[in-house]
Amino acid sequence: MTPPAAWRRLLAEFTGTALLVTAVVGSGIMAATLSPGDVGLQLLQNSVATAFALGALILTFGPVSGAHFNPVVSAADWFLGRRSGTGLTGRDLAGYTVAQTAGAIAGSILANLMFDLAPVTISTKDRAAGHLWLGEVVATTGLLLLIFALARSGRAAVAPAAVGAYIGAAYWFTSSTSFANPAVTTGRAFTDTFAGIAPASVPGFVIAQTVGLLVGTGLLLALYPGAGRTADAVVVDHPATKVTHHD
């Protein structure tokens, strides 16, 4: 079966990432409105909404683009699959990254507008600290291990539930509340709300996420030497994907 056209995959990545950030930002605004003064409850509401939305979005867009919504996932897919001719090409990776980042910014703007805020409200929430960066390394590493382990073992079909559950949990067990996504991090700088991050804090988070990418791919190569052969199944099986190799 012929894979979806490039423009369809890019549109899926743009739209899916936009809706993911809309869910993150919008649920944060709603949580702060409904539960003023109770940050713990706000985080619970934000994390639950994000986890469910992410699972639904993976189900919706996975058959078209793989539902990466994350340059780190796309970069790992390209790197692990390049030797076996699977996964994204370098050109695909560049296109996915641009589409995801643009989508994330659009998602923040959409959330702001839905809650009657200015389209762009640059965040003032400082998140620059070593322990937060460590949290991002842990969150990103764990996310990559989960996604590619599922694909390698032929269980990509459970990725929507598993990835949503992981991100929902990582909101709570990481100090950074698990951004784990350079595109989403960038998009969240465009909203001065509960889920925002100050632009000056974005580079530190992106660097930490890149470190997580390196650590995650290193562990995947050590634990699953054949992970690259199933890169086409990340995040959800494409119609043309057939997993036939096992180590």
Side-chain angles (χ1 to χ4, degrees):
M1 185 179 294
T2 303
W7 71 266
R8 289 179 58 205
R9 290 184 282 128
L10 294 178
L11 178 60
E13 286 297 301
F14 173 87
T15 307
T17 309
L19 292 175
L20 173 58
V21 174
T22 299
V24 172
V25 174
S27 63
I29 297 171
M30 183 66 80
T33 301
L34 296 177
S35 307
D38 191 337
V39 178
L41 183 55
Q42 292 169 7
L43 185 62
L44 177 62
Q45 295 161 338
N46 190 209
S47 63
V48 170
T50 299
F52 280 111
L54 179 56
L57 291 169
I58 292 173
L59 283 171
T60 302
F61 297 102
V64 181
S65 68
H68 293 188
F69 311 149
N70 188 337
V72 165
V73 174
S74 299
D77 191 52
W78 164 78
F79 179 80
L80 293 171
R82 74 195 192 288
R83 292 180 180 176
S84 54
T86 58
L88 297 180
T89 65
R91 183 175 181 178
D92 288 336
L93 173 58
Y96 269 46
T97 300
V98 171
Q100 291 155 357
T101 303
I105 295 171
S108 273
I109 292 173
L110 177 58
N112 287 337
L113 290 172
M114 282 200 303
F115 286 91
D116 198 26
L117 302 174
V120 174
T121 57
I122 299 300
S123 178
T124 57
K125 186 170 292 187
D126 180 31
R127 298 180 188 261
H131 68 284
L132 300 180
W133 300 332
L134 178 59
E136 282 301 287
V137 173
V138 171
T140 306
T141 299
L143 178 63
L144 291 178
L145 287 174
L146 171 63
I147 290 172
F148 285 88
L150 290 174
R152 184 66 193 85
S153 59
R155 296 176 293 166
V158 303
V163 174
Y166 174 81
I167 291 298
Y171 259 79
W172 291 90
F173 74 73
T174 65
S175 56
S176 62
T177 65
S178 185
F179 285 49
N181 185 328
V184 168
T185 302
T186 301
R188 287 169 66 167
F190 288 77
T191 180
D192 192 20
T193 59
F194 181 80
I197 177 172
S201 298
V202 170
F205 266 53
V206 172
I207 291 171
Q209 291 155 1
T210 303
V211 173
L213 166 64
L214 297 176
V215 174
T217 52
L219 286 172
L220 284 165
L221 289 172
L223 295 170
Y224 299 95
R229 293 197 296 268
T230 55
D232 280 339
V234 175
V235 173
V236 173
D237 289 314
H238 293 286
T241 299
K242 293 183 180 179
V243 179
T244 57
H245 300 282
H246 297 278
D247 285 329

